[in-house]
Amino acid sequence: MTQTRTTARKATVTRRESAFAERFALFAECLLTGVWIAVASLPLVTCPAAFAAGSRHLRRRTGHEAGGWREFVADFRLAVRGGWAAGLAGWAAALAVWVDVQAVRAGIPGGPFVGAVGLFALIGLAVAGLRAAAVWEPGARWRELLGAAGRRTVLDPAGSFLLVGGLAVVAVSGWFVPPLAIPVLGAVAAAALAVEERGRRR
């Protein structure tokens, strides 16, 4: 009887260690994916495609499917075909917000209001972009993905707020320790996946 209890305790400890090891491995995979996303985002307009490839890699990882750097690159090449236009639009929006900020600094009447609206709009676009990248699949059209993601951004404020927090973590990390912001990008992609999965289960 005593031997049976001892064996059961050992099995429980083994299961707990395995669960811990699996979670730690997933965390490490998120950090590695963040580096891949950062490298693929260097041309700037490829940011949406990089996040899409990174998100699909993490989906494979959580689904216990095989896949690594080669699969990430293959997904990135497919995603960038239409994703570059989404990236270009995003940077154009960022430029418009920068112009609004300059208007605020110049003291133009109505500048603070316009600047605030532009900043909130840019944050909303970033969240919608992350949501769209999280559900990207080969053959999907970015215009349709972004349209649906925009609706989810508005209809699911809790999930959107979570992603805003993730973006804030990246910004703060980049401000204090710039190299730390690179692996954190993978955690943001994982957060987008979690938000979308939560939305599907509701």
Side-chain angles (χ1 to χ4, degrees):
M1 189 67 163
T2 304
Q3 185 176 1
T4 303
R5 290 179 179 175
T6 303
T7 304
R9 288 176 183 174
K10 288 182 179 180
T12 302
V13 171
T14 302
R15 282 195 298 270
R16 287 177 181 173
E17 290 177 349
S18 298
F20 173 78
E22 184 175 354
R23 288 175 185 143
F24 184 80
L26 180 58
F27 174 71
E29 195 71 30
C30 287
L31 299 183
L32 176 61
T33 303
V35 176
W36 293 354
I37 291 173
V39 172
S41 297
L42 287 178
L44 299 183
V45 295
T46 58
C47 287
F51 271 98
S55 297
R56 193 155 190 261
H57 170 71
L58 291 176
R59 282 203 306 272
R60 282 194 296 266
R61 178 64 179 78
T62 55
H64 303 284
E65 299 177 13
W69 169 250
R70 292 181 179 178
E71 288 75 14
F72 173 87
V73 172
D75 286 337
F76 173 74
R77 288 175 177 174
L78 291 174
V80 80
R81 292 177 182 175
W84 69 267
L88 183 62
W91 284 108
L95 178 61
V97 171
W98 181 82
V99 172
D100 289 342
V101 171
Q102 298 307 310
V104 172
R105 290 183 175 180
I108 295 177
F113 174 77
V114 174
V117 171
L119 182 60
F120 280 112
L122 181 62
I123 292 173
L125 287 174
V127 170
L130 286 173
R131 284 178 173 269
V135 298
W136 176 87
E137 292 286 349
R141 296 184 178 181
W142 278 97
R143 181 176 297 181
E144 296 175 358
L145 290 175
L146 289 170
R151 290 189 291 273
R152 293 195 301 274
T153 299
V154 175
L155 298 176
D156 180 23
S160 298
F161 182 77
L162 176 63
L163 292 180
V164 170
L167 292 172
V169 169
V170 173
V172 172
S173 300
W175 179 264
F176 289 102
V177 187
L180 186 60
I182 294 176
V184 171
L185 292 174
V188 174
L193 282 174
V195 167
E196 289 300 310
E197 182 63 25
R198 166 182 168 273
R200 281 194 292 267
R201 293 181 178 179
R202 289 177 60 183

